[in-house]
């Protein structure tokens, strides 16, 4: 079974550049979550979607971050402009929501370094 | 106060030892509870869900105390391969299932 697929695995960019992270959830899953992980703050929820609709984006740090889910099989997280403090591992996770929140299946993550 | 709190450890134990991790959560309305494990530089992976009556999966036992808003994980006969960070996870909110909030994790190191 194909799991959650994220790309790229690693991204190194300079401050001020636009960064786009991509995620393909598990086929049939209808919930998609974006998390960010750092040593200092642990795993932080940025945004989650149900049926391609953003439900809660209160964790998105600021207007520089945006996320879209144009269809059930694809989502993007964009940072524009990027800053060094955005350096982290970004995880995408998906699940099949049927009334009660089930556990999430995580992708391998994208390790972002902003210099 | 953090929504989900765990003792960060590290817990250093010998092989074969029994080790227990605790987790407290602040939202009394939470309905879903999980333990995940995360290996260094890898993604979190589900270890087990936590049910109200408590549940066991091999060497692993999870307990939930709703009154105290407390979750525990017990690992018996620990193996070297159990070395990892263990994350307590709780859902918050009811808006279409709510969101899953992760604790900071408890690091476990099992030594020969």
């Amino acid at each position: 079974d194909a799991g959650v697929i994220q790309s790229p695995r690693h991204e190194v960019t300079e401050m001020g550049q636009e960064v786009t992270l991509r995620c393909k959830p598990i086929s049939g899953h209808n919930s998609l979550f974006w998390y960010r992980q750092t040593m200092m703050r642990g795993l932080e929820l940025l945004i989650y979607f149900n049926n391609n609709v953003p439900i809660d984006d209160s964790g998105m740090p600021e207007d520089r971050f945006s996320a879209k889910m144009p269809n059930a099989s694809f989502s993007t997280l964009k940072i524009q402009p990027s800053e060094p403090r955005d350096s982290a591992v970004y995880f995408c996770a998906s699940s099949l929501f049927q009334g009660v929140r089930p556990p999430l299946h995580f992708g391998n993550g994208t390790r972002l370094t902003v210099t | 106060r953090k929504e989900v709190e765990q003792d960060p450890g590290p817990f250093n134990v010998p092989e074969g030892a029994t080790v227990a991790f605790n987790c407290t959560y602040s939202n009394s309305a939470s309905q879903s509870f999980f333990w995940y494990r995360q290996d260094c530089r890898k993604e979190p992976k589900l270890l087990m869900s936590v049910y109200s009556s408590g549940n066991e999966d091999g060497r692993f036992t999870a307990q939930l105390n709703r009154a105290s808003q407390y979750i525990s994980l017990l690992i018996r006969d620990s193996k070297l391969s159990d070395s990892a960070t263990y994350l307590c996870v709780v859902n918050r909110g009811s808006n279409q299932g709510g969101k899953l909030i992760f604790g900071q994790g408890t690091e476990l190191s099992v030594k020969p």
Side-chain angles (χ1 to χ4, degrees), chain A residues 19-53:
Chain A
V19 175
T20 299
L21 310 181
R22 296 172 176 79
C23 176
K24 176 179 169 57
I26 292 173
S27 177
H29 281 189
N30 59 359
S31 287
L32 185 141
F33 288 63
W34 282 101
Y35 286 86
R36 174 172 70 175
Q37 187 172 37
T38 60
M39 286 292 293
M40 289 297 295
R41 301 174 70 91
L43 265 166
E44 301 175 280
L45 177 63
L46 301 177
I47 185 172
Y48 76 97
F49 297 82
N50 275 1
N51 297 311
N52 314 338
V53 176

PDB file of all heavy atoms in Angstrom, chain A residues 19-53:
ATOM      1  N   VAL A  19       8.768  28.753  -0.991  1.00  0.00           N
ATOM      2  CA  VAL A  19       8.938  27.310  -0.818  1.00  0.00           C
ATOM      3  C   VAL A  19       7.563  26.653  -0.950  1.00  0.00           C
ATOM      4  O   VAL A  19       6.586  27.131  -0.357  1.00  0.00           O
ATOM      5  CB  VAL A  19       9.517  26.989   0.574  1.00  0.00           C
ATOM      6  CG1 VAL A  19       9.565  25.486   0.796  1.00  0.00           C
ATOM      7  CG2 VAL A  19      10.901  27.600   0.727  1.00  0.00           C
ATOM      8  N   THR A  20       7.490  25.576  -1.712  1.00  0.00           N
ATOM      9  CA  THR A  20       6.236  24.830  -1.844  1.00  0.00           C
ATOM     10  C   THR A  20       6.472  23.373  -1.479  1.00  0.00           C
ATOM     11  O   THR A  20       7.319  22.707  -2.084  1.00  0.00           O
ATOM     12  CB  THR A  20       5.673  24.919  -3.269  1.00  0.00           C
ATOM     13  OG1 THR A  20       5.398  26.295  -3.583  1.00  0.00           O
ATOM     14  CG2 THR A  20       4.370  24.137  -3.374  1.00  0.00           C
ATOM     15  N   LEU A  21       5.730  22.913  -0.494  1.00  0.00           N
ATOM     16  CA  LEU A  21       5.801  21.525  -0.052  1.00  0.00           C
ATOM     17  C   LEU A  21       4.554  20.814  -0.549  1.00  0.00           C
ATOM     18  O   LEU A  21       3.455  21.389  -0.552  1.00  0.00           O
ATOM     19  CB  LEU A  21       5.867  21.452   1.474  1.00  0.00           C
ATOM     20  CG  LEU A  21       6.916  22.353   2.147  1.00  0.00           C
ATOM     21  CD1 LEU A  21       6.888  22.159   3.649  1.00  0.00           C
ATOM     22  CD2 LEU A  21       8.297  22.118   1.591  1.00  0.00           C
ATOM     23  N   ARG A  22       4.734  19.553  -0.946  1.00  0.00           N
ATOM     24  CA  ARG A  22       3.639  18.820  -1.567  1.00  0.00           C
ATOM     25  C   ARG A  22       3.307  17.549  -0.804  1.00  0.00           C
ATOM     26  O   ARG A  22       4.191  16.940  -0.185  1.00  0.00           O
ATOM     27  CB  ARG A  22       3.997  18.489  -3.009  1.00  0.00           C
ATOM     28  CG  ARG A  22       4.173  19.714  -3.878  1.00  0.00           C
ATOM     29  CD  ARG A  22       4.708  19.393  -5.252  1.00  0.00           C
ATOM     30  NE  ARG A  22       4.775  20.578  -6.103  1.00  0.00           N
ATOM     31  CZ  ARG A  22       5.726  21.496  -6.040  1.00  0.00           C
ATOM     32  NH1 ARG A  22       6.716  21.369  -5.174  1.00  0.00           N
ATOM     33  NH2 ARG A  22       5.690  22.538  -6.839  1.00  0.00           N
ATOM     34  N   CYS A  23       2.040  17.164  -0.903  1.00  0.00           N
ATOM     35  CA  CYS A  23       1.593  15.978  -0.173  1.00  0.00           C
ATOM     36  C   CYS A  23       0.504  15.261  -0.955  1.00  0.00           C
ATOM     37  O   CYS A  23      -0.444  15.882  -1.453  1.00  0.00           O
ATOM     38  CB  CYS A  23       1.049  16.372   1.200  1.00  0.00           C
ATOM     39  SG  CYS A  23       0.356  14.997   2.147  1.00  0.00           S
ATOM     40  N   LYS A  24       0.665  13.932  -1.022  1.00  0.00           N
ATOM     41  CA  LYS A  24      -0.373  13.085  -1.601  1.00  0.00           C
ATOM     42  C   LYS A  24      -0.858  12.173  -0.475  1.00  0.00           C
ATOM     43  O   LYS A  24      -0.094  11.318  -0.005  1.00  0.00           O
ATOM     44  CB  LYS A  24       0.177  12.271  -2.751  1.00  0.00           C
ATOM     45  CG  LYS A  24      -0.813  11.280  -3.362  1.00  0.00           C
ATOM     46  CD  LYS A  24      -0.177  10.541  -4.523  1.00  0.00           C
ATOM     47  CE  LYS A  24      -1.040   9.362  -4.978  1.00  0.00           C
ATOM     48  NZ  LYS A  24      -2.403   9.796  -5.357  1.00  0.00           N
ATOM     49  N   PRO A  25      -2.109  12.331  -0.032  1.00  0.00           N
ATOM     50  CA  PRO A  25      -2.594  11.489   1.065  1.00  0.00           C
ATOM     51  C   PRO A  25      -2.852  10.063   0.595  1.00  0.00           C
ATOM     52  O   PRO A  25      -2.831   9.781  -0.609  1.00  0.00           O
ATOM     53  CB  PRO A  25      -3.898  12.182   1.468  1.00  0.00           C
ATOM     54  CG  PRO A  25      -4.367  12.851   0.219  1.00  0.00           C
ATOM     55  CD  PRO A  25      -3.122  13.270  -0.506  1.00  0.00           C
ATOM     56  N   ILE A  26      -3.113   9.189   1.543  1.00  0.00           N
ATOM     57  CA  ILE A  26      -3.475   7.814   1.211  1.00  0.00           C
ATOM     58  C   ILE A  26      -4.813   7.819   0.480  1.00  0.00           C
ATOM     59  O   ILE A  26      -5.752   8.530   0.884  1.00  0.00           O
ATOM     60  CB  ILE A  26      -3.549   6.961   2.494  1.00  0.00           C
ATOM     61  CG1 ILE A  26      -2.139   6.802   3.088  1.00  0.00           C
ATOM     62  CG2 ILE A  26      -4.184   5.604   2.225  1.00  0.00           C
ATOM     63  CD1 ILE A  26      -2.103   6.131   4.442  1.00  0.00           C
ATOM     64  N   SER A  27      -4.891   7.057  -0.589  1.00  0.00           N
ATOM     65  CA  SER A  27      -6.107   7.008  -1.388  1.00  0.00           C
ATOM     66  C   SER A  27      -7.297   6.584  -0.528  1.00  0.00           C
ATOM     67  O   SER A  27      -7.227   5.598   0.212  1.00  0.00           O
ATOM     68  CB  SER A  27      -5.914   6.011  -2.537  1.00  0.00           C
ATOM     69  OG  SER A  27      -7.105   5.897  -3.296  1.00  0.00           O
ATOM     70  N   GLY A  28      -8.383   7.367  -0.622  1.00  0.00           N
ATOM     71  CA  GLY A  28      -9.573   7.057   0.159  1.00  0.00           C
ATOM     72  C   GLY A  28      -9.674   7.823   1.460  1.00  0.00           C
ATOM     73  O   GLY A  28     -10.751   7.885   2.072  1.00  0.00           O
ATOM     74  N   HIS A  29      -8.568   8.380   1.906  1.00  0.00           N
ATOM     75  CA  HIS A  29      -8.610   9.194   3.122  1.00  0.00           C
ATOM     76  C   HIS A  29      -9.248  10.548   2.818  1.00  0.00           C
ATOM     77  O   HIS A  29      -9.032  11.119   1.747  1.00  0.00           O
ATOM     78  CB  HIS A  29      -7.204   9.378   3.688  1.00  0.00           C
ATOM     79  CG  HIS A  29      -6.708   8.188   4.443  1.00  0.00           C
ATOM     80  ND1 HIS A  29      -5.534   8.198   5.185  1.00  0.00           N
ATOM     81  CD2 HIS A  29      -7.224   6.951   4.597  1.00  0.00           C
ATOM     82  CE1 HIS A  29      -5.370   7.021   5.754  1.00  0.00           C
ATOM     83  NE2 HIS A  29      -6.384   6.238   5.417  1.00  0.00           N
ATOM     84  N   ASN A  30     -10.008  11.060   3.788  1.00  0.00           N
ATOM     85  CA  ASN A  30     -10.700  12.319   3.551  1.00  0.00           C
ATOM     86  C   ASN A  30     -10.249  13.444   4.484  1.00  0.00           C
ATOM     87  O   ASN A  30     -10.807  14.535   4.454  1.00  0.00           O
ATOM     88  CB  ASN A  30     -12.217  12.126   3.668  1.00  0.00           C
ATOM     89  CG  ASN A  30     -12.630  11.614   5.043  1.00  0.00           C
ATOM     90  OD1 ASN A  30     -11.791  11.381   5.919  1.00  0.00           O
ATOM     91  ND2 ASN A  30     -13.924  11.430   5.241  1.00  0.00           N
ATOM     92  N   SER A  31      -9.282  13.166   5.358  1.00  0.00           N
ATOM     93  CA  SER A  31      -8.741  14.209   6.238  1.00  0.00           C
ATOM     94  C   SER A  31      -7.248  14.331   6.000  1.00  0.00           C
ATOM     95  O   SER A  31      -6.552  13.311   5.882  1.00  0.00           O
ATOM     96  CB  SER A  31      -8.970  13.854   7.717  1.00  0.00           C
ATOM     97  OG  SER A  31     -10.315  14.014   8.081  1.00  0.00           O
ATOM     98  N   LEU A  32      -6.774  15.565   5.966  1.00  0.00           N
ATOM     99  CA  LEU A  32      -5.351  15.802   5.745  1.00  0.00           C
ATOM    100  C   LEU A  32      -4.875  16.877   6.696  1.00  0.00           C
ATOM    101  O   LEU A  32      -5.534  17.909   6.877  1.00  0.00           O
ATOM    102  CB  LEU A  32      -5.104  16.245   4.289  1.00  0.00           C
ATOM    103  CG  LEU A  32      -3.641  16.414   3.897  1.00  0.00           C
ATOM    104  CD1 LEU A  32      -3.397  15.901   2.485  1.00  0.00           C
ATOM    105  CD2 LEU A  32      -3.178  17.840   4.033  1.00  0.00           C
ATOM    106  N   PHE A  33      -3.745  16.605   7.334  1.00  0.00           N
ATOM    107  CA  PHE A  33      -3.186  17.492   8.337  1.00  0.00           C
ATOM    108  C   PHE A  33      -1.779  17.903   7.905  1.00  0.00           C
ATOM    109  O   PHE A  33      -1.003  17.077   7.397  1.00  0.00           O
ATOM    110  CB  PHE A  33      -3.060  16.782   9.682  1.00  0.00           C
ATOM    111  CG  PHE A  33      -4.374  16.518  10.389  1.00  0.00           C
ATOM    112  CD1 PHE A  33      -5.338  15.698   9.844  1.00  0.00           C
ATOM    113  CD2 PHE A  33      -4.614  17.092  11.627  1.00  0.00           C
ATOM    114  CE1 PHE A  33      -6.535  15.457  10.507  1.00  0.00           C
ATOM    115  CE2 PHE A  33      -5.806  16.856  12.309  1.00  0.00           C
ATOM    116  CZ  PHE A  33      -6.768  16.035  11.743  1.00  0.00           C
ATOM    117  N   TRP A  34      -1.392  19.116   8.194  1.00  0.00           N
ATOM    118  CA  TRP A  34      -0.014  19.580   8.061  1.00  0.00           C
ATOM    119  C   TRP A  34       0.526  19.924   9.458  1.00  0.00           C
ATOM    120  O   TRP A  34      -0.097  20.698  10.195  1.00  0.00           O
ATOM    121  CB  TRP A  34       0.079  20.834   7.180  1.00  0.00           C
ATOM    122  CG  TRP A  34      -0.010  20.593   5.715  1.00  0.00           C
ATOM    123  CD1 TRP A  34      -1.085  20.765   4.893  1.00  0.00           C
ATOM    124  CD2 TRP A  34       1.060  20.159   4.858  1.00  0.00           C
ATOM    125  NE1 TRP A  34      -0.767  20.461   3.595  1.00  0.00           N
ATOM    126  CE2 TRP A  34       0.536  20.089   3.542  1.00  0.00           C
ATOM    127  CE3 TRP A  34       2.402  19.824   5.065  1.00  0.00           C
ATOM    128  CZ2 TRP A  34       1.319  19.698   2.442  1.00  0.00           C
ATOM    129  CZ3 TRP A  34       3.164  19.439   3.976  1.00  0.00           C
ATOM    130  CH2 TRP A  34       2.618  19.375   2.686  1.00  0.00           C
ATOM    131  N   TYR A  35       1.680  19.334   9.796  1.00  0.00           N
ATOM    132  CA  TYR A  35       2.357  19.612  11.055  1.00  0.00           C
ATOM    133  C   TYR A  35       3.759  20.121  10.762  1.00  0.00           C
ATOM    134  O   TYR A  35       4.343  19.841   9.713  1.00  0.00           O
ATOM    135  CB  TYR A  35       2.500  18.342  11.901  1.00  0.00           C
ATOM    136  CG  TYR A  35       1.241  17.844  12.566  1.00  0.00           C
ATOM    137  CD1 TYR A  35       0.365  17.004  11.895  1.00  0.00           C
ATOM    138  CD2 TYR A  35       0.933  18.189  13.880  1.00  0.00           C
ATOM    139  CE1 TYR A  35      -0.782  16.536  12.508  1.00  0.00           C
ATOM    140  CE2 TYR A  35      -0.216  17.722  14.513  1.00  0.00           C
ATOM    141  CZ  TYR A  35      -1.065  16.892  13.807  1.00  0.00           C
ATOM    142  OH  TYR A  35      -2.206  16.421  14.426  1.00  0.00           O
ATOM    143  N   ARG A  36       4.306  20.835  11.752  1.00  0.00           N
ATOM    144  CA  ARG A  36       5.698  21.281  11.699  1.00  0.00           C
ATOM    145  C   ARG A  36       6.368  20.794  12.980  1.00  0.00           C
ATOM    146  O   ARG A  36       5.781  20.889  14.065  1.00  0.00           O
ATOM    147  CB  ARG A  36       5.744  22.813  11.623  1.00  0.00           C
ATOM    148  CG  ARG A  36       7.111  23.406  11.699  1.00  0.00           C
ATOM    149  CD  ARG A  36       7.091  24.892  11.436  1.00  0.00           C
ATOM    150  NE  ARG A  36       6.477  25.653  12.509  1.00  0.00           N
ATOM    151  CZ  ARG A  36       6.449  26.991  12.526  1.00  0.00           C
ATOM    152  NH1 ARG A  36       6.982  27.670  11.522  1.00  0.00           N
ATOM    153  NH2 ARG A  36       5.876  27.621  13.524  1.00  0.00           N
ATOM    154  N   GLN A  37       7.593  20.288  12.856  1.00  0.00           N
ATOM    155  CA  GLN A  37       8.300  19.794  14.035  1.00  0.00           C
ATOM    156  C   GLN A  37       9.662  20.440  14.175  1.00  0.00           C
ATOM    157  O   GLN A  37      10.466  20.445  13.238  1.00  0.00           O
ATOM    158  CB  GLN A  37       8.470  18.267  13.982  1.00  0.00           C
ATOM    159  CG  GLN A  37       9.055  17.683  15.272  1.00  0.00           C
ATOM    160  CD  GLN A  37       9.047  16.162  15.277  1.00  0.00           C
ATOM    161  OE1 GLN A  37       9.266  15.518  14.256  1.00  0.00           O
ATOM    162  NE2 GLN A  37       8.781  15.565  16.443  1.00  0.00           N
ATOM    163  N   THR A  38       9.920  20.987  15.349  1.00  0.00           N
ATOM    164  CA  THR A  38      11.233  21.519  15.701  1.00  0.00           C
ATOM    165  C   THR A  38      11.611  20.969  17.070  1.00  0.00           C
ATOM    166  O   THR A  38      10.743  20.488  17.820  1.00  0.00           O
ATOM    167  CB  THR A  38      11.235  23.054  15.774  1.00  0.00           C
ATOM    168  OG1 THR A  38      10.286  23.462  16.790  1.00  0.00           O
ATOM    169  CG2 THR A  38      10.851  23.688  14.457  1.00  0.00           C
ATOM    170  N   MET A  39      12.879  21.039  17.390  1.00  0.00           N
ATOM    171  CA  MET A  39      13.337  20.559  18.692  1.00  0.00           C
ATOM    172  C   MET A  39      12.683  21.360  19.809  1.00  0.00           C
ATOM    173  O   MET A  39      12.289  20.802  20.843  1.00  0.00           O
ATOM    174  CB  MET A  39      14.859  20.676  18.787  1.00  0.00           C
ATOM    175  CG  MET A  39      15.605  19.656  17.976  1.00  0.00           C
ATOM    176  SD  MET A  39      15.391  17.994  18.643  1.00  0.00           S
ATOM    177  CE  MET A  39      16.265  18.148  20.188  1.00  0.00           C
ATOM    178  N   MET A  40      12.583  22.660  19.609  1.00  0.00           N
ATOM    179  CA  MET A  40      12.087  23.530  20.679  1.00  0.00           C
ATOM    180  C   MET A  40      10.590  23.389  20.898  1.00  0.00           C
ATOM    181  O   MET A  40      10.119  23.398  22.041  1.00  0.00           O
ATOM    182  CB  MET A  40      12.408  24.991  20.343  1.00  0.00           C
ATOM    183  CG  MET A  40      13.872  25.338  20.445  1.00  0.00           C
ATOM    184  SD  MET A  40      14.484  25.134  22.126  1.00  0.00           S
ATOM    185  CE  MET A  40      13.554  26.396  22.978  1.00  0.00           C
ATOM    186  N   ARG A  41       9.828  23.251  19.836  1.00  0.00           N
ATOM    187  CA  ARG A  41       8.361  23.331  19.949  1.00  0.00           C
ATOM    188  C   ARG A  41       7.652  22.000  19.699  1.00  0.00           C
ATOM    189  O   ARG A  41       6.427  21.923  19.830  1.00  0.00           O
ATOM    190  CB  ARG A  41       7.845  24.393  18.992  1.00  0.00           C
ATOM    191  CG  ARG A  41       8.433  25.786  19.250  1.00  0.00           C
ATOM    192  CD  ARG A  41       8.001  26.768  18.167  1.00  0.00           C
ATOM    193  NE  ARG A  41       6.581  27.067  18.276  1.00  0.00           N
ATOM    194  CZ  ARG A  41       6.084  28.075  18.982  1.00  0.00           C
ATOM    195  NH1 ARG A  41       6.901  28.861  19.659  1.00  0.00           N
ATOM    196  NH2 ARG A  41       4.792  28.290  19.011  1.00  0.00           N
ATOM    197  N   GLY A  42       8.401  20.975  19.315  1.00  0.00           N
ATOM    198  CA  GLY A  42       7.773  19.689  19.066  1.00  0.00           C
ATOM    199  C   GLY A  42       6.915  19.723  17.811  1.00  0.00           C
ATOM    200  O   GLY A  42       7.173  20.497  16.891  1.00  0.00           O
ATOM    201  N   LEU A  43       5.891  18.869  17.789  1.00  0.00           N
ATOM    202  CA  LEU A  43       4.985  18.783  16.641  1.00  0.00           C
ATOM    203  C   LEU A  43       3.855  19.784  16.827  1.00  0.00           C
ATOM    204  O   LEU A  43       3.070  19.680  17.757  1.00  0.00           O
ATOM    205  CB  LEU A  43       4.399  17.380  16.543  1.00  0.00           C
ATOM    206  CG  LEU A  43       5.088  16.394  15.630  1.00  0.00           C
ATOM    207  CD1 LEU A  43       4.615  14.991  15.896  1.00  0.00           C
ATOM    208  CD2 LEU A  43       4.872  16.741  14.173  1.00  0.00           C
ATOM    209  N   GLU A  44       3.762  20.715  15.903  1.00  0.00           N
ATOM    210  CA  GLU A  44       2.710  21.738  15.959  1.00  0.00           C
ATOM    211  C   GLU A  44       1.775  21.557  14.767  1.00  0.00           C
ATOM    212  O   GLU A  44       2.248  21.459  13.625  1.00  0.00           O
ATOM    213  CB  GLU A  44       3.310  23.137  15.855  1.00  0.00           C
ATOM    214  CG  GLU A  44       4.297  23.521  16.908  1.00  0.00           C
ATOM    215  CD  GLU A  44       4.886  24.885  16.586  1.00  0.00           C
ATOM    216  OE1 GLU A  44       5.799  24.957  15.746  1.00  0.00           O
ATOM    217  OE2 GLU A  44       4.428  25.884  17.181  1.00  0.00           O
ATOM    218  N   LEU A  45       0.487  21.566  15.026  1.00  0.00           N
ATOM    219  CA  LEU A  45      -0.479  21.475  13.942  1.00  0.00           C
ATOM    220  C   LEU A  45      -0.607  22.834  13.268  1.00  0.00           C
ATOM    221  O   LEU A  45      -0.829  23.848  13.929  1.00  0.00           O
ATOM    222  CB  LEU A  45      -1.843  21.041  14.471  1.00  0.00           C
ATOM    223  CG  LEU A  45      -2.961  20.981  13.440  1.00  0.00           C
ATOM    224  CD1 LEU A  45      -2.657  19.946  12.354  1.00  0.00           C
ATOM    225  CD2 LEU A  45      -4.293  20.670  14.109  1.00  0.00           C
ATOM    226  N   LEU A  46      -0.465  22.826  11.954  1.00  0.00           N
ATOM    227  CA  LEU A  46      -0.595  24.077  11.196  1.00  0.00           C
ATOM    228  C   LEU A  46      -2.025  24.250  10.680  1.00  0.00           C
ATOM    229  O   LEU A  46      -2.650  25.291  10.874  1.00  0.00           O
ATOM    230  CB  LEU A  46       0.376  24.089  10.027  1.00  0.00           C
ATOM    231  CG  LEU A  46       1.859  23.960  10.392  1.00  0.00           C
ATOM    232  CD1 LEU A  46       2.716  23.902   9.130  1.00  0.00           C
ATOM    233  CD2 LEU A  46       2.294  25.112  11.276  1.00  0.00           C
ATOM    234  N   ILE A  47      -2.538  23.226  10.023  1.00  0.00           N
ATOM    235  CA  ILE A  47      -3.862  23.316   9.399  1.00  0.00           C
ATOM    236  C   ILE A  47      -4.358  21.905   9.138  1.00  0.00           C
ATOM    237  O   ILE A  47      -3.561  20.974   8.975  1.00  0.00           O
ATOM    238  CB  ILE A  47      -3.791  24.119   8.080  1.00  0.00           C
ATOM    239  CG1 ILE A  47      -5.182  24.327   7.458  1.00  0.00           C
ATOM    240  CG2 ILE A  47      -2.846  23.456   7.074  1.00  0.00           C
ATOM    241  CD1 ILE A  47      -5.160  25.290   6.258  1.00  0.00           C
ATOM    242  N   TYR A  48      -5.700  21.726   9.113  1.00  0.00           N
ATOM    243  CA  TYR A  48      -6.215  20.453   8.650  1.00  0.00           C
ATOM    244  C   TYR A  48      -7.453  20.647   7.782  1.00  0.00           C
ATOM    245  O   TYR A  48      -8.175  21.636   7.917  1.00  0.00           O
ATOM    246  CB  TYR A  48      -6.468  19.468   9.797  1.00  0.00           C
ATOM    247  CG  TYR A  48      -7.688  19.686  10.664  1.00  0.00           C
ATOM    248  CD1 TYR A  48      -8.869  18.980  10.431  1.00  0.00           C
ATOM    249  CD2 TYR A  48      -7.639  20.539  11.759  1.00  0.00           C
ATOM    250  CE1 TYR A  48      -9.975  19.144  11.260  1.00  0.00           C
ATOM    251  CE2 TYR A  48      -8.738  20.710  12.590  1.00  0.00           C
ATOM    252  CZ  TYR A  48      -9.903  20.009  12.349  1.00  0.00           C
ATOM    253  OH  TYR A  48     -10.998  20.168  13.171  1.00  0.00           O
ATOM    254  N   PHE A  49      -7.627  19.694   6.882  1.00  0.00           N
ATOM    255  CA  PHE A  49      -8.717  19.690   5.915  1.00  0.00           C
ATOM    256  C   PHE A  49      -9.585  18.449   6.137  1.00  0.00           C
ATOM    257  O   PHE A  49      -9.063  17.374   6.458  1.00  0.00           O
ATOM    258  CB  PHE A  49      -8.171  19.600   4.480  1.00  0.00           C
ATOM    259  CG  PHE A  49      -7.310  20.755   4.045  1.00  0.00           C
ATOM    260  CD1 PHE A  49      -5.962  20.811   4.393  1.00  0.00           C
ATOM    261  CD2 PHE A  49      -7.829  21.773   3.252  1.00  0.00           C
ATOM    262  CE1 PHE A  49      -5.156  21.857   3.967  1.00  0.00           C
ATOM    263  CE2 PHE A  49      -7.027  22.810   2.816  1.00  0.00           C
ATOM    264  CZ  PHE A  49      -5.687  22.860   3.178  1.00  0.00           C
ATOM    265  N   ASN A  50     -10.884  18.609   5.937  1.00  0.00           N
ATOM    266  CA  ASN A  50     -11.777  17.467   5.792  1.00  0.00           C
ATOM    267  C   ASN A  50     -12.460  17.612   4.438  1.00  0.00           C
ATOM    268  O   ASN A  50     -12.985  18.700   4.130  1.00  0.00           O
ATOM    269  CB  ASN A  50     -12.839  17.433   6.906  1.00  0.00           C
ATOM    270  CG  ASN A  50     -12.357  16.756   8.168  1.00  0.00           C
ATOM    271  OD1 ASN A  50     -11.214  16.313   8.266  1.00  0.00           O
ATOM    272  ND2 ASN A  50     -13.226  16.673   9.152  1.00  0.00           N
ATOM    273  N   ASN A  51     -12.441  16.545   3.661  1.00  0.00           N
ATOM    274  CA  ASN A  51     -13.072  16.590   2.335  1.00  0.00           C
ATOM    275  C   ASN A  51     -12.624  17.816   1.539  1.00  0.00           C
ATOM    276  O   ASN A  51     -13.455  18.513   0.925  1.00  0.00           O
ATOM    277  CB  ASN A  51     -14.601  16.570   2.487  1.00  0.00           C
ATOM    278  CG  ASN A  51     -15.082  15.285   3.132  1.00  0.00           C
ATOM    279  OD1 ASN A  51     -14.696  14.185   2.723  1.00  0.00           O
ATOM    280  ND2 ASN A  51     -15.895  15.413   4.162  1.00  0.00           N
ATOM    281  N   ASN A  52     -11.330  18.086   1.576  1.00  0.00           N
ATOM    282  CA  ASN A  52     -10.670  19.147   0.809  1.00  0.00           C
ATOM    283  C   ASN A  52     -10.965  20.552   1.327  1.00  0.00           C
ATOM    284  O   ASN A  52     -10.511  21.532   0.736  1.00  0.00           O
ATOM    285  CB  ASN A  52     -11.044  19.104  -0.687  1.00  0.00           C
ATOM    286  CG  ASN A  52     -10.969  17.713  -1.277  1.00  0.00           C
ATOM    287  OD1 ASN A  52     -10.282  16.845  -0.749  1.00  0.00           O
ATOM    288  ND2 ASN A  52     -11.682  17.503  -2.361  1.00  0.00           N
ATOM    289  N   VAL A  53     -11.725  20.681   2.386  1.00  0.00           N
ATOM    290  CA  VAL A  53     -12.094  21.997   2.922  1.00  0.00           C
ATOM    291  C   VAL A  53     -11.259  22.281   4.171  1.00  0.00           C
ATOM    292  O   VAL A  53     -11.215  21.441   5.077  1.00  0.00           O
ATOM    293  CB  VAL A  53     -13.594  22.033   3.276  1.00  0.00           C
ATOM    294  CG1 VAL A  53     -13.953  23.370   3.917  1.00  0.00           C
ATOM    295  CG2 VAL A  53     -14.443  21.776   2.036  1.00  0.00           C
TER     296      VAL A  53
END
